[in-house]
Amino acid sequence: MEQKSINVDFSENGVKLSLVGLDKSEILPKDYSLDDLAEKITKLLNESKNCKRNLEIDLKAGVIKQGGQEIRLLAKEIKILKYFYKHSNEIVSREQLLSEVWTKNNKETTRTLDVHISRLRQKLGEVGDAQQVIQTVRGIGYKFIEP
């Protein structure tokens, strides 16, 4: 199940709810009810789902898009994403990625791969929920969930 975090800021004027990772927030007046709070939380969570659906990875153009925002991908990032798409919703080991994405005579380490994944997540994080798209499977590798 997908987990989301909501920041709650209390002030003398009311309560501000913000979904972590999005520029969306909801304001509740000082005299809010629990029904109002539940409604605002549901609205934020629904907006987060819509944002994720708008995420587009265009491998031919080498960009990640959402709304009007475009982020360029490096050649190695494109290769990693192509491999992830071929094995979408499957657990892929670090060793599999290294052997398929890097050349056979290249002695890259799993740390090199982790750095590339981290950069990909940073780029995805600018336009969506990166941790949900590229999930870490502890001790094994990664799982890619198509946006």
Side-chain angles (χ1 to χ4, degrees), residues 21 55 57 64 71-73 77 80-81 84 92 94 97 111 113-138 140-145:
L55 178 66
I57 300 172
I64 298 170
I71 298 170
R72 302 241 19 82
L73 294 167
E77 294 167 338
I80 291 169
L81 285 171
F84 275 147
V92 176
R94 287 175 172 82
L97 276 167
R111 183 66 191 134
L113 174 63
D114 293 341
V115 169
H116 279 81
I117 297 294
S118 176
R119 288 185 185 150
L120 261 176
R121 283 182 173 153
Q122 285 175 347
K123 290 179 179 186
L124 288 167
E126 292 178 28
V127 293
D129 192 354
Q131 297 300 323
Q132 295 303 315
V133 176
I134 302 174
Q135 300 174 354
T136 299
V137 180
R138 192 173 298 263
I140 300 174
Y142 302 98
K143 183 176 182 180
F144 178 76
I145 308 295

Side-chain angles (χ1 to χ4, degrees), residues 11-16 26-33 36-37 40:
S11 73
E12 60 188 46
N13 299 327
V15 178
K16 179 180 179 182
E26 290 291 327
I27 308 289
L28 288 166
K30 202 174 186 178
D31 58 344
Y32 68 91
S33 70
D36 293 336
L37 178 63
K40 296 293 186 183

